[in-house]
Amino acid sequence: MPAKPTAAQRRRAALRSALDAQLAALGEPPYGGPDQPSLVLSACAEAVLRAHDTGRAPDRAAVRAAVRGTLAELAERAPGHSLEVRVPPFGAVQVIDGPRHTRGTPPGVVETDPTTWLALALGRQTWESATAAHTVSASGVRADLSSLLPLWTSP
């Protein structure tokens, strides 16, 4: 009997499935690049943004997978609990070293929509332009993510 897949394996499979569904919705072939998690994740985020750029509604599963994956990547790169980054309705993470937040509203909060978050994560939009356009709400002394973004740059 084969071993039950781990949570990480299930997340990778869901990400790949969501990416291929988004590519199919765009009329593009399935992803054929390397099966490295960061490359698949950035390809998924890029496909979601291409759908948005062409006026199509992005595949919800692809948006969810890309947002959750990029938030997890941010949390891995900037561990901590002093700032909460929210991308409703898909996810939130606590990041950046500092005072630990345990209850109630955290002292620092960043909130944005999924499209803006993915554009920031891929370097399609700068932190400064997003905050100036008020597509990002940021409060607290540690609420400047400009040194952590982009996670990757678009090809």
Side-chain angles (χ1 to χ4, degrees):
M1 178 191 269
K4 188 174 181 179
T6 65
Q9 289 170 327
R10 288 191 302 274
R11 282 192 302 274
R12 281 195 303 273
L15 174 62
R16 182 64 187 266
S17 176
L19 168 57
D20 286 342
Q22 181 63 75
L23 292 172
L26 288 167
E28 298 176 15
Y31 176 74
D35 198 22
Q36 297 174 3
S38 64
L39 295 177
V40 175
L41 177 56
S42 62
C44 186
E46 186 62 45
V48 166
L49 291 175
R50 276 199 313 277
H52 180 267
D53 292 347
T54 59
R56 301 176 191 171
D59 180 81
R60 186 170 173 83
V63 176
R64 180 177 50 246
V67 166
R68 288 181 179 174
T70 52
L71 285 172
E73 181 69 24
L74 177 66
E76 187 175 307
R77 291 184 187 194
H81 298 281
S82 67
L83 178 70
E84 186 165 286
V85 180
R86 301 173 180 167
V87 184
F90 300 111
V93 294
Q94 290 187 5
V95 297
I96 302 179
D97 195 28
R100 183 175 179 82
H101 164 70
T102 57
R103 297 180 64 188
T105 302
V109 176
V110 169
E111 187 167 329
T112 190
D113 63 277
T115 304
T116 300
W117 171 249
L118 295 176
L120 288 165
L122 291 179
R124 284 183 163 207
Q125 186 171 16
T126 66
W127 178 257
E128 293 76 17
S129 68
T131 55
H134 303 288
T135 56
V136 169
S137 169
S139 65
V141 296
R142 292 177 176 84
D144 183 350
L145 297 178
S146 60
S147 66
L148 300 170
L149 296 171
L151 300 173
W152 306 280
T153 55
S154 294

